[in-house]
Structure formats: C-alpha cells, structure tokens
Amino acid sequence: GAGVSQSPRYKVTKRGQDVALRCDPISGHVSLYWYRQALGQGPEFLTYFNYEAQQDKSGLPNDRFSAERPEGSISTLTIQRTEQRDSAMYRCASSLVYGSNTDTQYFGPGTRLTVL
Amino acid sequence: DAKTTQPPSMDCAEGRAANLPCNHSTISGNEYVYWYRQIHSQGPQYIIHGLKNNETNEMASLIITEDRKSSTLILPHATLRDTAVYYCIVRVANTGNQFYFGTGTSLTVIP
C-alpha cells in the first residue's frame, strides 16, 4: 500500500475486555514498531519486529500486552483484560531496513483506544 | 540513549524563519540526530536527520554544532501549515531502530 495503515481507527471497549489492534506496514518494509501516545505526550516505544522476529519488547507495560507478526508483514498488538489506563492512541510505524542508524520510520494514522 | 532537551513552545511569524533548538549534550559519536513533527493528531512525520554535517532538504535545514551537543532545525519560510509539535530525537545506537520521543516543541506560526 501507499502508507502504513492501522485498524480500527477508533475502538471503544469496556474494562476487562480484550482488544486486538492491527497494523499493515508499507509493502516490503522489514521493521515494524509499536508506540503508545498519551494526550499531550510524545509517542512511547512499546516493541518492534524485524521480519517476524520480535527484537525488543522492553517497552510493553506489563504482561497484558503482547504483539505478533507471524508472517513478517501484518502485526497485531493485543491487550488483554483492558483497564482504563490503557486508553491512548496506539501508533504503528515501519521502516525499510534494520540495523542502520540512518533508516527512517513511517508512521500510520493510529488507533484511538478508549476503555470505559 | 542520549536525552534531548527542547523548549516546550515557540512562536514564529508567518514567512519568517523558524529556528528550533535542541540540546543533546550526552550524544555519543555514532548516534544520529533526527527531527520529526506531528500535526494535530496525525502520525509523526519525518523531517530530516544528520550525524555531524549540516543537512538540507526540501523541508528544512539541520545545523549541528561542531561538538554535536546541540542542533537547530530551521524552517526557512514558516507557513501556517508548519504549526505542529517538533521532536528532536537521538537515535539509539546498536540496539535497534526504536525512537525515544520526548515532549517536543510546540511551534505556532502566527499570521
């Protein structure tokens, strides 16, 4: 596709429910990243993949959060037993190559998650 | 990873140059300086990056001091559409490609 796409764009759920957020990176991009952004703050790193391998998940807040990218393309961020503090914009980004300091990341429009 | 310090907000008159400063005094030799911006609730948009030489592209210029402890992003002729939050980021070396954003500088271009 022309850019990074994310779905759904908006998600409202009740506390305790599980949610799955999807990211479709730019075609051919090797690396995929997940960020979370609270209102008025910069994006906060969660985790990233090179191909299908999860390279770093140190930014995931707790074990309710998980991510996968089974075929090295589309990725899903899953939040189990959602809590109100999980409400935020969840952003995905992709980049063409990894292992280089000079590669740039392209961000998607984000999924606005609201937990009631 | 090196931390960055930016002023929380700045104003600039339309048509004038906007100069956005960033301090990164603990940057290491192989870390790059990146600038992104975020307009309203859109995803961050890449602007420019550099290591130690000044860089220019169609959007902006990046001036990095000789000691690399600070840099300035220059938008040569600011327009109303340049109103955004600008993030200065130092790229973590050898640990992958994740970015660590701060709170950035909120630039308001005034008509």
Side-chain angles (χ1 to χ4, degrees):
Chain A
V4 178
S5 61
Q6 294 184 244
S7 62
R9 294 292 307 277
Y10 302 90
K11 177 69 177 179
V12 180
T13 190
K14 293 182 178 180
R15 184 165 50 94
Q17 297 294 307
D18 298 350
V19 296
L21 311 180
R22 171 181 165 135
C23 172
D24 198 342
I26 294 172
S27 178
H29 276 198
V30 168
S31 300
L32 184 148
Y33 315 82
W34 284 100
Y35 294 84
R36 178 171 69 174
Q37 187 169 18
L39 199 61
Q41 301 292 317
E44 172 194 18
F45 169 77
L46 296 177
T47 185
Y48 88 100
F49 295 82
N50 289 331
Y51 299 103
E52 72 282 357
Q54 191 170 19
Q55 299 295 318
D56 183 350
K57 54 182 181 179
S58 63
L60 296 177
N62 51 60
D63 59 7
R64 296 187 296 106
F65 287 73
S66 63
E68 62 175 9
R69 193 187 185 198
E71 297 179 358
S73 179
I74 293 169
S75 177
T76 302
L77 177 70
T78 301
I79 309 173
Q80 296 178 309
R81 305 180 302 281
T82 53
E83 301 177 3
Q84 288 185 328
R85 59 177 173 161
D86 299 333
S87 297
M89 177 73 83
Y90 289 83
R91 298 199 185 272
C92 175
S94 69
S95 65
L96 183 59
V97 297
Y98 72 96
S100 166
N101 269 337
T102 64
D103 195 35
T104 59
Q105 296 184 11
Y106 298 88
F107 283 80
T111 295
R112 170 72 66 187
L113 174 66
T114 302
V115 182
L116 302 177
Chain B
D1 52 307
K3 303 298 184 185
T4 61
T5 304
Q6 299 177 253
S9 63
M10 292 181 63
D11 294 337
C12 177
E14 187 179 18
R16 303 296 294 271
N19 298 290
L20 292 91
C22 180
N23 288 323
H24 30 79
S25 58
T26 59
I27 192 171
S28 61
N30 60 349
E31 290 181 313
Y32 286 70
V33 180
Y34 279 75
W35 283 84
Y36 276 72
R37 74 179 182 183
Q38 194 167 22
I39 299 173
H40 297 299
S41 59
Q42 298 176 22
Q45 176 191 22
Y46 167 79
I47 301 173
I48 199 167
H49 73 279
L51 182 62
K52 54 184 177 181
N53 296 322
N54 296 338
E55 302 288 344
T56 296
N57 63 20
E58 65 278 5
M59 289 182 67
S61 295
L62 174 61
I63 309 298
I64 303 174
T65 58
E66 190 170 347
D67 63 8
R68 303 210 323 123
K69 296 189 176 193
S70 65
S71 60
T72 300
L73 178 74
I74 301 173
L75 307 178
H77 305 286
T79 71
L80 299 179
R81 289 176 294 180
D82 291 322
T83 293
V85 178
Y86 288 77
Y87 296 99
C88 169
I89 304 160
V90 172
R91 191 66 166 277
V92 178
N94 300 322
T95 59
N97 283 343
Q98 61 270 42
F99 285 101
Y100 290 93
F101 290 80
T103 53
T105 295
S106 178
L107 175 69
T108 301
V109 180
I110 302 169

